[in-house]
Amino acid sequence: RLGGALLLAAIVVVIAVAVILLTSGGGSSHPKKTASTSTSTTKTTSTGGATVTERVALHSPDPKSRSIGALEVVSESGKLALVIAAEHLAPSHGFYYAIWLYNNHTSALPLSKSPPVGTNQRLEGAASLPANAGEFKEVLLTRETSEHPTHPGLVVLRGPFSLGSG
């Protein structure tokens, strides 16, 4: 199975996107591609000086779903970004995928809207993290139909979120 090699390549590409995002001061980018099942929290440095401070596996709340994903929190020059990769997602027709920081139904913050997921069923991308990101305990990938949702839609993937102590 090529999953591990493909995953590693996708994470490297997504980290490069995050480095560009962090150094350019940009906002959210456009998630598009692949996934991981790593649950470790480690610190590694990629080319360009970005440091991965957290790694989290994302799992579907539906035990019958094959959807999986992973996220990394990347730091460079004091700026933080969340990098996400997922696979086995339904192609987005009539909806889009969104990334949320989440505590409960009254405490949630949308971070990024993805471009359409096609027949390859993959998504990857990065979003800058806001200053209050450490207040949230979970990250969600949801299906959204509203252009400006005020609360998370159908949860496709979820995982614990922490900025840790580095």
Side-chain angles (χ1 to χ4, degrees):
R1 187 171 165 216
L2 294 174
L6 184 60
L7 165 65
L8 182 58
I11 292 295
V12 168
V13 168
V14 174
I15 289 173
V17 169
V19 170
I20 293 167
L21 177 74
L22 290 168
T23 58
S24 69
S28 64
S29 85
H30 305 284
K32 315 177 217 161
K33 215 168 178 171
T34 193
S36 168
T37 57
S38 171
T39 57
S40 64
T41 299
T42 60
K43 211 173 194 185
T44 57
T45 303
S46 74
T47 42
T51 302
V52 176
T53 61
E54 302 288 332
R55 287 190 176 118
V56 177
L58 302 175
H59 300 283
S60 174
D62 177 359
K64 295 179 184 175
S65 173
R66 291 182 355 140
S67 298
I68 59 170
L71 69 84
E72 295 182 333
V73 175
V74 180
S75 173
E76 183 175 24
S77 302
K79 296 179 183 177
L80 295 174
L82 182 141
V83 179
I84 187 169
E87 63 184 22
H88 304 296
L89 299 176
S92 51
H93 300 291
F95 69 92
Y96 64 93
Y97 290 98
I99 302 166
W100 294 77
L101 292 179
Y102 184 79
N103 285 324
N104 57 51
H105 69 281
T106 61
S107 177
L109 179 66
L111 290 182
S112 181
K113 175 182 177 179
S114 79
V117 170
T119 57
N120 69 358
Q121 300 180 318
R122 295 179 180 168
L123 173 148
E124 73 178 31
S128 293
L129 286 173
N132 67 336
E135 298 172 11
F136 294 91
K137 305 296 182 227
E138 197 170 10
V139 68
L140 308 177
L141 181 69
T142 63
R143 290 173 68 158
E144 302 293 343
T145 55
S146 169
E147 189 61 32
H148 300 286
T150 57
H151 59 278
L154 176 70
V155 177
V156 177
L157 294 173
R158 70 186 327 148
F161 179 79
S162 170
L163 291 182
S165 57

